[in-house]
Amino acid sequence: MSAGVRLAKRIAIEGAGWILVLVGLAALVLPGPGLLALFAGVALLSSQYEWAQKRLEPVKKAALRTAADSVATVWRIALSVVLAVALIATGVLWGLQPSAPPWWPLQDRWWLPGAWGTGASLILSGLIALGTIIYSYLNFRDAHAEPSSESGQPEEPHTKLST
């Protein structure tokens, strides 16, 4: 492989890793799979940096634990699905740009700014959330079902995929 191709590959991997880390950090406080994005970013960066390799396992455990906890009860699953669908519906409403309601205190131009650009990002976030819920349900739903025999605590979540 030529030096130019290696450099381009390294830049692409690092760029994608840092973008995922930033998106993951933002999604810790905004809607979205924050720990999963953070884990994916650190996993990419771990192929380039030793410091990222050392931090990969704790982030991975936290992401898997959070994914398993998110589908631990039917109520959590139902609430997550309702909120994801509400996010999609909000995106559609935002894109359709209905008139500002009478109670809106600002000028009409400040009502739902961004039109379909903002609406599409809300719809995409909702679809990602639904995908994450489905993934977590399929891979982690039974993680809380059986406590381990030694400690009485739930076992570490296992996935059907190799991790």
Side-chain angles (χ1 to χ4, degrees):
M1 194 181 317
S2 72
V5 172
R6 279 195 306 270
L7 180 62
K9 182 179 176 184
R10 180 180 175 105
I11 289 171
I13 289 171
E14 286 185 35
W18 283 113
I19 288 170
L20 283 168
V21 166
L22 292 174
V23 167
L25 290 173
L28 290 174
V29 295
L30 299 171
L35 280 174
L36 293 176
L38 188 60
F39 167 67
V42 173
L44 283 174
L45 292 174
S46 72
S47 69
Q48 305 295 321
Y49 298 106
E50 187 176 326
W51 63 263
Q53 289 174 351
K54 293 177 183 177
R55 286 161 181 80
L56 184 60
E57 194 60 32
V59 173
K60 177 183 173 184
K61 284 183 180 181
L64 293 175
R65 190 176 322 106
T66 300
D69 288 347
S70 71
V71 293
T73 67
V74 173
W75 291 108
R76 284 185 184 180
I77 297 168
L79 180 61
S80 296
V81 169
V82 166
L83 291 174
V85 170
L87 193 59
I88 293 168
T90 301
V92 170
L93 178 71
W94 206 292
L96 293 175
Q97 290 286 295
S99 313
W103 53 263
W104 182 249
L106 303 174
Q107 294 177 352
D108 286 354
R109 67 184 173 127
W110 294 106
W111 173 251
L112 304 177
W116 279 111
T118 302
S121 67
L122 291 170
I123 293 167
L124 181 62
S125 294
L127 292 173
I128 290 171
L130 284 175
T132 304
I133 294 164
I134 292 167
Y135 174 83
S136 296
Y137 182 83
L138 293 175
N139 289 286
F140 304 112
R141 179 67 174 118
D142 296 325
H144 291 283
E146 299 178 24
S148 65
S149 58
E150 298 171 14
S151 66
Q153 297 296 320
E155 292 184 14
E156 194 65 30
H158 301 286
T159 70
K160 295 176 188 169
L161 306 172
S162 61
T163 53

